Each structure stands twice: as structure tokens, then as C-alpha cells.
Amino acid sequence: MEEFHVLAVDDSLIDRKLIERLFRISACQVTTVDSGNKALEFLGLHQHDPCVSPHAQQNLQEVEVNLVITDYCMPGMTGYDLLKKIKESPSLKNIPLVIMSSENVPSRISRCLEEGAEEFFLKPARIADVNKLKRHMMKTKCKSFDEPEKIVTKVNQESSPEIANISSGDDPCYMLVQF
């Protein structure tokens, strides 16, 4: 199975290094940047244009990002602003995004989750947080993860011939079937 690629965004060098180390321990490839603007640049999204540029489209095809993890409070562009820009982009909206903060502000947490963040973690990040994110990253490995899915169970296999003929192959999402 291919390794997951994580884009870590934080203005703090110490927090970037911690995130990088935690994800590398979990066998992930990690790219770190120090601002929301650099994250958008890496993803190929122009700051003022929600469309992906042709150069960026080529970069997206070469580098698959399975998760963006970002600090909430950064100079210039906040993690919340980055979240909104990614979720507004048709080509990037399905990338799972997680926000971290050293401040426990319930209204901020709710707002981020309502806007599409998969998780909101309090700093410092821990290995348990990273392990919790594997299921979100797995979604990006599925071939069509934005369509409705159902879990294959023994009962489904016995009642549906199409489901009974599914083999796992190399697809990490073989347990998910389109309906």
C-alpha cells in the first residue's frame, strides 16, 4: 500500500517538527509549510481564485495529499481561512482537513467543524491524535470517496451476487461498495 502524504501547516517551527515526527512515525510522507498561503501554493490554489491553475493541476497529479493539518491561529491567513478556501475548491474539497489550536474555544471549534474540518485537536499533538486520523486519510485512497457507500457484511454478500463477487485486490477500500 502507498504511504499517506500529509501537508502540515503551522507558523511555529517546533509544532511543525512535532507534527512531522508524529506522522513519520506512522509511516506517512510529510510536507511542512509555515503559512496558509504557502499551503495553497503547494496545493496549486491561487489565493484570490478558487480554480486550480494548469501548473498546479500538474502538481496535483504528481503529488497526492491525503490530509491537511493546520494550526488555527497563524499570521496572515488563519487555519479557518485555509479550511474555507480548500473546501470551496472543487478539486480540493475532498481532502480531509484537521485544525489544531492551543486555545480551547468552543465556538471556534464548532465553527471549524461546521465548515468541514474532520477534527479539531488541542495542542500539543499526540500519537493518539495521528492514529485517529488514519480513517480520514483512508477515504482519499478510495477511488470514488465522494459517492454514497455501504459496508460489505456477510448478510450483504449472501443477499447480493454483485457484492459476493468483490475481491480485495490492492484497493484499501475493498470493504466499501457503491450503491
Side-chain angles (χ1 to χ4, degrees), residues 108-174:
R108 179 183 293 172
I109 295 168
S110 295
R111 189 171 71 161
C112 290
L113 294 173
E114 287 168 8
E115 210 48 60
E118 268 63 36
E119 302 280 346
F120 192 106
F121 292 135
L122 291 177
K123 289 183 178 183
R126 296 173 298 280
I127 194 69
D129 297 330
V130 170
N131 292 336
K132 192 175 179 183
L133 298 176
K134 292 278 181 163
R135 66 185 164 91
H136 296 298
M137 291 187 283
M138 187 65 78
K139 291 178 195 173
T140 64
K141 293 290 185 183
C142 295
K143 292 182 173 67
S144 302
F145 62 91
D146 56 345
E147 296 178 22
E149 302 163 337
K150 69 177 180 180
I151 304 295
V152 176
T153 64
K154 187 173 172 89
V155 173
N156 295 125
Q157 287 177 341
E158 291 168 356
S159 65
S160 174
E162 312 91 55
I163 294 175
N165 292 328
I166 294 171
S167 64
S168 64
D170 291 329
D171 186 358
C173 302
Y174 76 94

Side-chain angles (χ1 to χ4, degrees), residues 38-52:
K38 287 182 182 172
L40 292 177
E41 184 180 315
F42 180 81
L43 293 169
L45 199 64
H46 289 288
Q47 184 175 356
H48 302 294
D49 182 3
C51 298
V52 177

Side-chain angles (χ1 to χ4, degrees), residues 38-124:
K38 287 182 182 172
L40 292 177
E41 184 180 315
F42 180 81
L43 293 169
L45 199 64
H46 289 288
Q47 184 175 356
H48 302 294
D49 182 3
C51 298
V52 177
S53 70
H55 173 268
Q57 191 65 36
Q58 182 181 1
N59 185 41
L60 285 174
Q61 292 169 359
E62 294 170 12
V63 180
E64 179 185 14
V65 174
N66 306 105
L67 179 79
V68 175
I69 185 164
T70 182
D71 184 22
Y72 180 88
C73 191
M74 296 182 292
M77 179 185 298
T78 67
Y80 177 75
D81 295 333
L82 178 61
L83 166 70
K84 286 180 62 171
K85 290 190 180 292
I86 288 174
K87 294 304 178 183
E88 288 169 0
S89 167
S91 57
L92 301 176
K93 68 181 179 182
N94 290 322
I95 298 173
L97 193 138
V98 173
I99 302 213
M100 304 174 298
S101 180
S102 54
E103 300 170 0
N104 187 359
V105 181
S107 60
R108 179 183 293 172
I109 295 168
S110 295
R111 189 171 71 161
C112 290
L113 294 173
E114 287 168 8
E115 210 48 60
E118 268 63 36
E119 302 280 346
F120 192 106
F121 292 135
L122 291 177
K123 289 183 178 183

